[in-house]
Amino acid sequence: MKRISSVSEDTEFTFNPLIVLELAKKTQNETIEWLTQRIKERKHLGGAHLKIKPLDAHTKNSQIFLIGASWRRLLVGAEALGLVKEYQDGSMRAFIYQNKEDYKYFSDNNDDFLTMAEQQYIIKRELENLRAINETMVPGYPQAKLYPGKSIIRRLQTSGLLLQIYPLHNKTELKKLGTIWYKRLQVALQPLNDIENYFGQNIALYFAFLEYFTIALFPMALIGVPYYFFAWEDYDKYIVFATFNLLWSTIVLEVWKRWCAKLSYQWGTLLMKRQFEEPRPGFHGKLGLNPVTGRKEPTYPTYKRQLRIYLISVPFVCLSLYISLFVMMIYFQMEALALAYSKEDQSFFSSILLYCPSIIYGVVIEIMNRLYKYAAEWLTSWENHRLESSYQNHLILKVLVFNFINCFASLFYIAFILQDMKLLRQSLAALLITSQILNQFVESVLPYWLQKRRNRILKKKFHISSLEKELPLVDQVKLEREMDKYLGTFDDYLELFQQFGFVSLFSCVYPLAAILAVLNNITEVYTDGLKMCCVFQRPFFEPVSDIGVWLLAFETMGIISVMTNCALIGMSPQVKRLFQRNDVELVLLVLAIEHVLLALKFILAFAISDVPSDIRTKVARMEFESLKALKQKQMKEADESMAKEEQLDETKREQEEKKKI
Amino acid sequence: MKRISSVSEDTEFTFNPLIVLELAKKTQNETIEWLTQRIKERKHLGGAHLKIKPLDAHTKNSQIFLIGASWRRLLVGAEALGLVKEYQDGSMRAFIYQNKEDYKYFSDNNDDFLTMAEQQYIIKRELENLRAINETMVPGYPQAKLYPGKSIIRRLQTSGLLLQIYPLHNKTELKKLGTIWYKRLQVALQPLNDIENYFGQNIALYFAFLEYFTIALFPMALIGVPYYFFAWEDYDKYIVFATFNLLWSTIVLEVWKRWCAKLSYQWGTLLMKRQFEEPRPGFHGKLGLNPVTGRKEPTYPTYKRQLRIYLISVPFVCLSLYISLFVMMIYFQMEALALAYSKEDQSFFSSILLYCPSIIYGVVIEIMNRLYKYAAEWLTSWENHRLESSYQNHLILKVLVFNFINCFASLFYIAFILQDMKLLRQSLAALLITSQILNQFVESVLPYWLQKRRNRILKKKFHISSLEKELPLVDQVKLEREMDKYLGTFDDYLELFQQFGFVSLFSCVYPLAAILAVLNNITEVYTDGLKMCCVFQRPFFEPVSDIGVWLLAFETMGIISVMTNCALIGMSPQVKRLFQRNDVELVLLVLAIEHVLLALKFILAFAISDVPSDIRTKVARMEFESLKALKQKQMKEADESMAKEEQLDETKREQEEKKKI
């Protein structure tokens, strides 16, 4: 843990800067003073009780501030957020300040107990929870209205006064992490715990999923290679492959849930109570009362949102799907042209030309995906969802539907309408490879190269020789200020989702898909790691215990893949030969198999417990103990007050009897 | 609330008998004294702090005891069990003794605050929680071993010393309930809240489901009647009917979830925390440690249970299914014989004979169902499940699979193998009507008649003229002691499950099914009500918030009915005529429709929220407030201890500085 002691300026305490707050240039002094005051104020006076210092004390009107807190304040914050820590007996428990000595790794002079990422998260949440008391506006900005209970930071953000708020990197730790993560070529698993330590559970879970998924692809890849080389034209064999595929996709997702539960138990998020969800920053509406909290907050009528969704968003999605299908039909025309040309002119050039339409279509698909995503983000934001989770769900649904149709419609068309297995294989290969190359380029190589260029400029600006070295704090802050914001794991999961589709929907016709996916994912680990560490600002820690709605998306894809694979089996020449005369019987048989497999899938999903039994026992023990403790306390109080009341009754009765006498 | 003041015997308190404990005749005095002592002892001394009195103080060696408690003790017990009561502001909250004044309907001199059923439940749970401290055996019975933490009542039950334990009826309330429930023929909903008050949520939810399901059948019944009369031989029209059926079954179950949530919120069980589940009474094994509670309890290795399940139970179920199918084949032979005979000899007698095989088969099915259920109960109990819930799930699964095959296999065979719609209709009608008549007879008429006969004998024995009147307590206790135990809602739900199958699987070929089901259910309400009130001992209250695994069973039936109805549509002559030449296309189309409908079903189930939004808001507000209160308390404590520690540090530093000087 880095500590920058600023003893010269302030002998009272050591100040450990954790996050950076950048205000707009024009911000008035009055506002800054008020904000500083509110941040420093003690909790019971309505403040956040944090430490704040201008980055550069010498220049007046500084707009960049560093925020930190005493280690005791951070511990209290950890309790407030319900962070879960390892207890002395090895179990995981919600941290309680008064029992701090009972937690493993805790010692009075050691602030490694909370990781830097956790400390930054605590400060961020405390800042967000800093609420207006009786201010009606931000001092100096009458148009930035406040009302009791309104988050001050959110208002500053929406009124453009707060430009950005980001946690600081820790160069030493980052270098250590990089060395064991992506800087060496090695056959080893990723240092997931270190990633979790530095970036938080959200990002660590993505990398865990990426790693898990890649390893899960190994058997598919291993079986795929001999298929590819020895049975190139022998479509018949893919019955075995398709069946394997089916079982594989089901079991992989079930086992992932268990692995995910294990990780999130270990990282403390499985036991973390869900925090009450605040309205998302962009949410606006008439000021009203929240029926749950009773607090003042903006309200927006549901019917208006529904109108926006059904009258604008749904038609927009349908139109986009239509355009996507239209582009697909153009692709098939191009394909036909290319085929006709190559039949006429059988040169080397024409055989390459044969692949061109697929590659062009692949590029167009990627472009359309990206354009659509911007539109979907804008639309979903315009729908004005109250909660971030609801916003995310609507966004993911929009994007997934489009992505699915956009990426796979042509394959479905080739497989089931044209029934051309050769074209299907060729098209699948072209789409898969194109999308992987494009993704690698756009997501990692491009930002890395842009960053390199920017770093060169920055180096000149700050007169430094290397960015890897420990820099003076002022330079570090200014450097990280220029970096891009990491926009979350959405794109990364989406990429895996597409890949899962390519691998499971039709992979029996192109068994190399799995091995291509494995190779892509191995490089993806390195490029994503590099991206996280060097290209972006450090992201804030997000405590999550699973991959959320993505799991549902993957499971849906699994169900669809059962159907496509069954259909492929039914269409295979070998099977068709068996039922030469009676097509109806064949279709009914395939149908029966499909239903049995789907039923099996549901039974498997139901029978395999989502949480391993040892974790379940641990969680149950924890809950049992805390419940018992609570109950005992309650019961003792109730018993005592009952005894007291009974005694009172007794005395009263005695007095009455005395009176009678 | 009935109060029997026994002032003459005991001037200190009024004793309100709530439940009855009947020990074996031979029980030794030593044991009785010890038990009485433990039940009376105060809580902190390890007792149950209840009141206990022999039924007949004049005869020595009485084996029947009455148990009651002071109203304060009952309130404390209500808190311990987490009972939920209406708060002053109309919200539902877990009862807390110290805040008792803040609950609606609470007043010091009023013990209607807790219903009699709740009081009996509290006493039962307190008795079950009476645990051995350092006894190693039941005094007087060295073979009845005890160990610290073992429930005393359970040991007395398993060692045969405790014959029965039952709550007392309240004749006045019962009569009132009977009048508004089943004694008048009326067009009105059942008095669900009164049923809940008297019998508890478990039974009230069954009656609520029965009522809901019957009302939900109304549209089906209304549409069914004209179909039956005007389109008797016109199978074509059932496409519309089948489609309606599909949507109906999905929506009905989704809306039930919401209605159920509403009821259980109102009855306080939606918010009730799940209690920690103790091993079921019949569970036995080597004494070990429970990994969750750390308490001593019997343990039984999972692999042994698995062996029993897979080596004995599963083969047994398969064998039973085989026998059931074998019986079905005999039925078809009988059917063929009857048909042949009626063709030869076309008399009135032979046309009646035509229905005989179906009726006989219907009776045989019911007999096999009942025999199988006994076997399944014995087997599941032999599997030695630790928890009652696990026992129930295994039992329900066994029974459901067999019932489904046993009741519906012949219909499936007729519909899809023989494709004989006329026979299907005839068979369905015969099965449905036979099973309804048999059920009504076995479940209600027979027990009621037996009870009447027994009552006549009892009347003579106790020299009373009417059982309806208020009896002396001693007689009432002895009378109820002779009554049968109510064995739970299992059979009642099973009957509804079968009915749901008859209505939804093939009802389009026999549209009268729905109206028959409605008529049956209306009489069922009356006979079941009568049965609950007059035939059985009062059952103990069971707080449940939904119908549990039965909902899953109904949902599965709904999914299967989508498939059967789609297949029936595909097989209808009208549709077949449309696709005269191309059977494959027809099958594929039906297949596509089925998939779309199933997808729609899942989307509907996902989109319709299981809990109505107003209940969700109330629950969220309750949780938010209790969380806020807890957090505020915690934070205040943490803040204070932090401030104290900081001050200490300060003092230390000052002292050090002074030393330096």
Side-chain angles (χ1 to χ4, degrees):
Chain A
M1 176 111 304
K2 187 174 57 173
R3 260 172 182 271
I4 291 139
S5 52
S6 43
V7 190
S8 59
E9 297 167 41
D10 193 342
T11 46
E12 284 286 73
F13 61 88
T14 49
F15 180 73
N16 186 10
L18 287 165
I19 74 176
V20 178
L21 215 89
E22 184 184 356
L23 297 178
K25 276 246 162 70
K26 55 183 168 69
T27 315
Q28 299 192 8
N29 272 343
E30 180 188 2
T31 316
I32 293 179
E33 256 166 48
W34 165 75
L35 183 64
T36 316
Q37 166 66 17
R38 289 301 309 272
I39 288 176
K40 278 183 177 168
E41 195 77 271
R42 279 197 153 251
K43 263 290 207 186
H44 60 271
L45 300 173
H49 194 196
L50 302 172
K51 296 173 181 173
I52 180 167
K53 274 173 54 174
L55 176 65
D56 211 341
H58 308 299
T59 37
K60 269 193 179 170
N61 293 331
S62 171
Q63 272 77 33
I64 300 179
F65 293 88
L66 299 173
I67 298 189
S70 74
W71 64 271
R72 286 212 177 87
R73 177 69 192 87
L74 288 171
L75 288 178
V76 171
E79 178 176 349
L81 291 180
L83 290 191
V84 172
K85 285 275 157 189
E86 196 171 349
Y87 207 63
Q88 267 175 349
D89 64 358
S91 66
M92 305 295 294
R93 296 184 187 207
F95 179 72
I96 290 175
Y97 181 79
Q98 284 181 301
N99 311 342
K100 55 185 182 297
E101 316 283 347
D102 299 336
Y103 290 81
K104 221 170 175 174
Y105 309 123
F106 181 86
S107 83
D108 249 5
N109 305 319
N110 173 4
D111 39 18
D112 276 357
F113 179 67
L114 296 174
T115 64
M116 187 168 168
E118 282 170 334
Q119 298 180 12
Q120 289 167 333
Y121 175 65
I122 292 166
I123 292 190
K124 179 195 173 214
R125 290 299 304 264
E126 292 289 351
L127 281 178
E128 281 175 350
N129 274 327
L130 183 64
R131 289 168 194 288
I133 307 173
N134 40 27
E135 294 98 335
T136 52
M137 54 166 220
V138 173
Y141 294 91
Q143 77 282 11
K145 294 258 183 310
L146 286 174
Y147 46 86
K150 173 71 189 175
S151 162
I152 289 173
I153 293 294
R154 295 237 164 139
R155 172 56 78 234
L156 290 176
Q157 274 172 325
T158 48
S159 59
L161 289 171
L162 178 60
L163 295 183
Q164 58 176 340
I165 169 169
Y166 57 89
L168 281 171
H169 267 300
N170 179 339
K171 283 284 174 206
T172 332
E173 273 190 36
L174 195 61
K175 211 172 168 184
K176 235 189 275 169
L177 178 64
T179 319
I180 51 171
W181 189 11
Y182 62 85
K183 277 201 185 146
R184 270 188 304 212
L185 276 174
Q186 56 193 345
V187 183
L189 298 179
Q190 295 172 86
L192 289 177
N193 286 327
D194 296 290
I195 300 172
E196 190 267 330
N197 247 316
Y198 194 84
F199 288 110
Q201 293 89 0
N202 185 25
I203 286 160
L205 262 189
Y206 162 69
F207 282 101
F209 185 69
L210 177 60
E211 180 178 287
Y212 171 83
F213 187 63
T214 309
I215 293 173
L217 279 172
F218 277 3
M220 292 277 284
L222 284 182
I223 298 180
V225 174
Y227 261 89
Y228 186 77
F229 286 109
F230 301 121
W232 175 242
E233 290 299 318
D234 189 5
Y235 302 115
D236 302 357
K237 297 241 170 56
Y238 59 52
I239 299 177
V240 184
F241 202 75
T243 316
F244 176 75
N245 211 324
L246 281 181
L247 296 177
W248 174 83
S249 71
T250 308
I251 293 172
V252 157
L253 289 178
E254 288 306 312
V255 175
W256 161 252
K257 285 186 212 159
R258 295 166 69 90
W259 174 231
C260 175
K262 208 176 154 67
L263 286 177
S264 64
Y265 176 78
Q266 204 173 304
W267 295 341
T269 43
L270 191 68
L271 291 175
M272 217 166 145
K273 295 271 178 307
R274 218 164 48 83
Q275 296 277 318
F276 187 78
E277 217 180 335
E278 299 278 333
R280 59 190 301 264
F283 180 64
H284 54 86
K286 258 175 70 182
L287 207 59
L289 278 185
N290 180 321
V292 173
T293 60
R295 281 189 204 141
K296 267 189 189 171
E297 69 171 42
T299 53
Y300 188 74
T302 315
Y303 80 91
K304 276 195 191 170
R305 186 177 307 123
Q306 299 283 3
L307 281 182
R308 286 184 174 188
I309 292 177
Y310 291 110
L311 294 186
I312 308 292
S313 296
V314 171
F316 171 78
V317 173
C318 292
L319 182 71
S320 307
L321 292 179
Y322 177 79
I323 293 174
S324 158
L325 293 177
F326 187 77
V327 169
M328 182 186 89
M329 293 321 291
I330 295 178
Y331 155 64
F332 283 117
Q333 282 171 9
M334 273 165 55
E335 190 72 54
L337 274 177
L339 203 70
Y341 182 82
S342 78
K343 263 188 189 155
E344 265 178 41
D345 172 27
Q346 296 205 335
S347 68
F348 173 72
F349 169 71
S350 75
S351 73
I352 285 183
L353 192 73
L354 215 53
Y355 275 89
C356 275
S358 293
I359 292 171
I360 295 173
Y361 184 50
V363 174
V364 170
I365 282 181
E366 283 298 316
I367 294 172
M368 276 163 57
N369 276 345
R370 273 159 217 283
L371 286 181
Y372 177 83
K373 208 196 139 197
Y374 288 117
E377 272 169 358
W378 187 86
L379 260 182
T380 317
S381 158
W382 177 73
E383 282 164 17
N384 199 14
H385 292 276
R386 193 180 150 261
L387 298 179
E388 182 64 28
S389 59
S390 152
Y391 169 85
Q392 285 293 340
N393 287 344
H394 276 83
L395 179 62
I396 290 181
L397 186 67
K398 275 197 197 72
V399 173
L400 280 190
V401 168
F402 182 79
N403 258 269
F404 185 80
I405 299 290
N406 200 24
C407 293
F408 302 121
S410 66
L411 299 178
F412 275 92
Y413 188 82
I414 297 172
F416 301 117
I417 310 285
L418 303 182
Q419 304 206 358
D420 181 344
M421 290 303 137
K422 203 169 168 184
L423 181 61
L424 180 60
R425 186 200 300 142
Q426 178 191 314
S427 194
L428 184 63
L431 284 183
L432 177 63
I433 295 170
T434 316
S435 98
Q436 288 189 347
I437 291 175
L438 277 184
N439 265 319
Q440 293 277 13
F441 180 74
V442 176
E443 283 189 11
S444 306
V445 181
L446 191 66
Y448 186 68
W449 176 74
L450 285 175
Q451 187 59 30
K452 279 258 156 179
R453 216 187 53 167
R454 198 184 293 157
N455 281 354
R456 266 202 307 278
I457 302 171
L458 287 174
K459 269 186 215 160
K460 275 187 202 152
K461 198 167 153 192
F462 294 116
H463 312 289
I464 13 179
S465 57
S466 158
L467 289 171
E468 294 270 309
K469 266 199 258 172
E470 190 86 35
L471 288 179
L473 182 65
V474 177
D475 288 344
Q476 191 199 339
V477 169
K478 285 189 178 159
L479 225 149
E480 289 179 16
R481 181 184 158 208
E482 307 286 326
M483 286 169 124
D484 286 329
K485 262 209 148 43
Y486 177 65
L487 293 173
T489 47
F490 190 101
D491 285 325
D492 298 312
Y493 279 116
L494 190 63
E495 201 186 325
L496 281 182
F497 175 75
Q498 279 177 27
Q499 196 182 69
F500 185 61
F502 283 122
V503 171
S504 65
L505 287 179
F506 302 101
S507 86
C508 52
V509 295
Y510 184 59
L512 277 193
I515 198 144
L516 284 178
V518 166
L519 291 177
N520 176 69
N521 289 357
I522 290 175
T523 54
E524 181 100 14
V525 166
Y526 288 93
T527 52
D528 277 358
L530 187 73
K531 189 173 79 172
M532 287 309 308
C533 293
C534 303
V535 177
F536 292 117
Q537 274 178 8
R538 184 173 190 166
F540 274 111
F541 172 100
E542 268 177 64
V544 293
S545 62
D546 52 45
I547 60 173
V549 73
W550 287 106
L551 190 70
L552 195 71
F554 277 81
E555 281 179 335
T556 310
M557 183 70 96
I559 290 172
I560 296 173
S561 82
V562 170
M563 299 176 189
T564 53
N565 281 296
C566 280
L568 286 178
I569 292 177
M571 281 160 45
S572 81
Q574 198 184 34
V575 173
K576 272 196 173 157
R577 222 173 298 131
L578 279 176
F579 291 82
Q580 238 159 354
R581 296 273 163 81
N582 202 331
D583 273 353
V584 175
E585 244 177 55
L586 169 62
V587 175
L588 287 178
L589 184 76
V590 170
L591 179 68
I593 293 176
E594 187 222 348
H595 279 70
V596 169
L597 282 172
L598 280 180
L600 194 75
K601 204 175 163 76
F602 281 108
I603 292 173
L604 261 182
F606 195 79
I608 300 178
S609 158
D610 287 358
V611 180
S613 66
D614 60 322
I615 305 273
R616 255 182 305 154
T617 308
K618 280 181 191 164
V619 172
R621 185 167 56 212
M622 219 278 302
E623 279 172 0
F624 175 79
E625 277 171 14
S626 67
L627 204 72
K628 200 173 77 175
L630 189 73
K631 265 278 133 79
Q632 273 174 349
K633 206 177 148 209
Q634 274 187 2
M635 284 301 102
K636 220 184 130 206
E637 287 171 1
D639 263 349
E640 278 167 9
S641 61
M642 178 174 70
K644 219 178 286 169
E645 286 172 8
E646 278 177 351
Q647 208 135 37
L648 261 176
D649 279 4
E650 198 67 28
T651 334
K652 226 183 262 173
R653 206 181 307 137
E654 275 171 22
Q655 281 174 346
E656 272 167 29
E657 273 170 27
K658 268 184 201 166
K659 263 186 205 168
K660 276 182 199 167
I661 301 167
Chain B
M1 176 113 302
K2 190 174 52 174
R3 260 172 183 270
I4 290 139
S5 53
S6 44
V7 189
S8 60
E9 298 167 42
D10 195 339
T11 47
E12 286 285 72
F13 60 88
T14 51
F15 179 74
N16 186 10
L18 288 165
I19 73 175
V20 177
L21 217 89
E22 183 184 355
L23 297 178
K25 275 245 162 70
K26 55 183 166 72
T27 316
Q28 299 192 7
N29 272 342
E30 182 188 0
T31 317
I32 294 179
E33 258 166 46
W34 165 75
L35 183 64
T36 316
Q37 166 65 17
R38 289 300 311 273
I39 288 176
K40 279 183 177 168
E41 196 77 272
R42 279 196 153 255
K43 265 289 210 188
H44 62 270
L45 299 171
H49 195 199
L50 302 173
K51 295 175 180 172
I52 179 168
K53 272 175 52 176
L55 175 64
D56 210 342
H58 308 298
T59 37
K60 269 191 176 169
N61 293 331
S62 174
Q63 272 78 33
I64 301 179
F65 292 88
L66 299 173
I67 299 187
S70 73
W71 64 272
R72 286 212 177 89
R73 177 68 192 84
L74 287 171
L75 289 178
V76 171
E79 177 176 348
L81 291 181
L83 290 191
V84 172
K85 286 277 159 188
E86 195 171 349
Y87 207 65
Q88 268 175 347
D89 63 357
S91 66
M92 305 296 295
R93 296 187 186 203
F95 180 72
I96 289 175
Y97 182 79
Q98 284 182 301
N99 311 342
K100 54 185 181 300
E101 316 283 347
D102 298 336
Y103 290 81
K104 221 172 177 173
Y105 308 123
F106 182 85
S107 83
D108 249 4
N109 305 318
N110 174 5
D111 39 19
D112 277 356
F113 179 66
L114 296 174
T115 65
M116 188 170 168
E118 282 171 335
Q119 299 181 12
Q120 290 167 334
Y121 175 67
I122 291 166
I123 292 191
K124 180 195 172 211
R125 291 299 306 265
E126 291 290 351
L127 282 178
E128 283 175 350
N129 274 327
L130 183 63
R131 290 167 193 288
I133 306 172
N134 40 27
E135 294 96 335
T136 54
M137 52 165 220
V138 174
Y141 295 90
Q143 76 283 10
K145 295 256 183 311
L146 287 174
Y147 46 84
K150 172 71 189 175
S151 163
I152 289 173
I153 293 293
R154 295 236 163 139
R155 172 56 78 234
L156 290 176
Q157 273 172 326
T158 50
S159 59
L161 289 172
L162 178 59
L163 295 183
Q164 56 176 342
I165 171 170
Y166 58 89
L168 281 171
H169 267 300
N170 180 339
K171 284 283 174 202
T172 330
E173 272 190 34
L174 196 60
K175 213 171 164 184
K176 235 188 280 166
L177 178 63
T179 318
I180 51 171
W181 191 9
Y182 63 87
K183 277 201 184 148
R184 269 187 305 212
L185 278 173
Q186 56 192 345
V187 184
L189 298 180
Q190 296 174 83
L192 289 177
N193 286 327
D194 296 289
I195 300 173
E196 190 266 331
N197 247 316
Y198 194 84
F199 289 110
Q201 294 87 1
N202 185 24
I203 285 159
L205 263 188
Y206 162 68
F207 282 102
F209 185 67
L210 177 59
E211 179 178 290
Y212 171 82
F213 187 63
T214 309
I215 293 173
L217 279 172
F218 277 2
M220 292 277 284
L222 286 181
I223 298 179
V225 174
Y227 260 90
Y228 185 78
F229 286 109
F230 302 121
W232 175 243
E233 290 300 315
D234 188 4
Y235 301 115
D236 302 356
K237 297 239 169 58
Y238 57 53
I239 298 177
V240 183
F241 202 76
T243 316
F244 176 74
N245 212 323
L246 281 178
L247 295 177
W248 174 82
S249 71
T250 309
I251 291 171
V252 158
L253 289 177
E254 288 306 312
V255 175
W256 162 252
K257 284 187 215 160
R258 295 167 69 90
W259 174 232
C260 177
K262 207 174 155 66
L263 285 177
S264 63
Y265 175 77
Q266 204 174 304
W267 296 341
T269 42
L270 191 70
L271 290 175
M272 217 168 144
K273 294 270 180 306
R274 219 165 47 82
Q275 296 278 320
F276 186 78
E277 217 180 335
E278 298 279 332
R280 61 191 299 264
F283 179 64
H284 53 84
K286 261 174 67 182
L287 206 60
L289 278 186
N290 179 319
V292 173
T293 60
R295 279 189 204 141
K296 267 190 190 170
E297 70 171 40
T299 52
Y300 188 75
T302 314
Y303 80 92
K304 276 196 190 168
R305 186 177 307 123
Q306 300 281 5
L307 281 182
R308 288 183 172 190
I309 292 176
Y310 291 111
L311 294 187
I312 308 291
S313 296
V314 171
F316 171 79
V317 173
C318 293
L319 182 71
S320 307
L321 293 179
Y322 177 78
I323 292 174
S324 158
L325 294 176
F326 186 77
V327 170
M328 181 186 91
M329 294 321 291
I330 294 178
Y331 156 64
F332 283 117
Q333 281 172 9
M334 274 165 54
E335 189 73 53
L337 274 177
L339 205 69
Y341 183 82
S342 78
K343 262 185 190 159
E344 265 177 41
D345 171 28
Q346 297 203 335
S347 68
F348 173 71
F349 169 72
S350 73
S351 73
I352 286 185
L353 192 76
L354 215 55
Y355 274 90
C356 275
S358 293
I359 292 172
I360 296 174
Y361 184 50
V363 175
V364 171
I365 282 180
E366 283 299 315
I367 295 173
M368 276 164 57
N369 276 345
R370 272 160 216 282
L371 286 180
Y372 176 84
K373 206 197 140 196
Y374 287 116
E377 273 170 359
W378 187 87
L379 261 182
T380 317
S381 158
W382 177 73
E383 283 165 17
N384 199 13
H385 292 276
R386 196 180 147 260
L387 298 179
E388 183 64 27
S389 60
S390 151
Y391 169 85
Q392 285 294 341
N393 287 343
H394 275 83
L395 179 63
I396 290 181
L397 186 66
K398 275 196 196 73
V399 173
L400 280 190
V401 168
F402 182 79
N403 257 270
F404 185 80
I405 298 291
N406 200 22
C407 294
F408 302 121
S410 65
L411 299 179
F412 275 92
Y413 188 82
I414 297 172
F416 301 118
I417 311 286
L418 303 182
Q419 305 205 355
D420 181 345
M421 290 302 137
K422 203 171 166 185
L423 182 60
L424 179 61
R425 185 199 303 142
Q426 178 192 316
S427 198
L428 183 64
L431 284 182
L432 177 63
I433 295 171
T434 316
S435 97
Q436 288 189 346
I437 291 176
L438 277 183
N439 266 318
Q440 293 277 10
F441 181 73
V442 176
E443 282 190 12
S444 307
V445 181
L446 192 66
Y448 185 67
W449 177 74
L450 285 174
Q451 186 60 29
K452 279 257 157 179
R453 217 186 53 166
R454 199 185 291 158
N455 281 354
R456 265 201 307 278
I457 302 171
L458 287 173
K459 269 185 215 163
K460 276 185 201 156
K461 201 167 148 191
F462 295 116
H463 311 289
I464 14 176
S465 56
S466 159
L467 290 169
E468 294 270 308
K469 269 198 257 170
E470 190 86 36
L471 289 178
L473 182 64
V474 177
D475 289 343
Q476 192 200 338
V477 169
K478 285 190 178 160
L479 226 148
E480 287 179 15
R481 181 184 158 207
E482 306 288 325
M483 286 168 126
D484 287 329
K485 262 208 148 43
Y486 178 65
L487 293 172
T489 47
F490 191 100
D491 285 324
D492 299 312
Y493 279 117
L494 190 62
E495 203 187 322
L496 280 183
F497 175 75
Q498 280 178 27
Q499 196 182 72
F500 185 61
F502 282 122
V503 171
S504 66
L505 287 178
F506 302 101
S507 88
C508 52
V509 295
Y510 185 59
L512 277 194
I515 197 143
L516 284 178
V518 167
L519 291 177
N520 176 70
N521 289 356
I522 290 175
T523 56
E524 181 102 13
V525 167
Y526 288 92
T527 53
D528 277 0
L530 187 72
K531 189 175 79 173
M532 287 308 308
C533 292
C534 302
V535 178
F536 293 118
Q537 274 178 7
R538 184 174 190 164
F540 274 111
F541 173 100
E542 269 176 63
V544 294
S545 62
D546 52 46
I547 61 172
V549 71
W550 288 105
L551 190 71
L552 194 70
F554 278 81
E555 282 179 334
T556 311
M557 183 69 96
I559 290 172
I560 296 173
S561 82
V562 170
M563 298 175 189
T564 54
N565 280 296
C566 281
L568 286 179
I569 293 177
M571 279 160 46
S572 81
Q574 199 185 33
V575 173
K576 271 194 174 157
R577 222 173 298 132
L578 279 176
F579 291 83
Q580 237 160 355
R581 297 272 163 80
N582 202 330
D583 273 353
V584 176
E585 242 175 57
L586 169 61
V587 174
L588 288 177
L589 184 75
V590 171
L591 180 68
I593 293 176
E594 187 221 347
H595 279 69
V596 169
L597 282 173
L598 280 180
L600 194 76
K601 205 177 162 73
F602 282 108
I603 292 172
L604 260 182
F606 195 79
I608 301 179
S609 158
D610 287 358
V611 180
S613 67
D614 59 323
I615 305 274
R616 256 181 305 157
T617 308
K618 281 180 189 165
V619 173
R621 184 168 57 212
M622 219 278 303
E623 279 171 0
F624 176 79
E625 277 171 15
S626 66
L627 203 74
K628 199 174 78 175
L630 189 74
K631 266 277 132 79
Q632 273 175 349
K633 205 176 148 212
Q634 275 186 3
M635 282 303 101
K636 220 184 129 206
E637 287 172 1
D639 262 351
E640 278 166 10
S641 60
M642 177 173 72
K644 219 179 287 171
E645 286 172 7
E646 278 178 351
Q647 205 135 35
L648 261 176
D649 280 4
E650 197 66 29
T651 333
K652 226 183 260 170
R653 204 178 312 135
E654 275 171 24
Q655 281 173 347
E656 272 168 29
E657 271 172 31
K658 267 184 199 166
K659 263 185 205 164
K660 276 182 200 165
I661 301 169

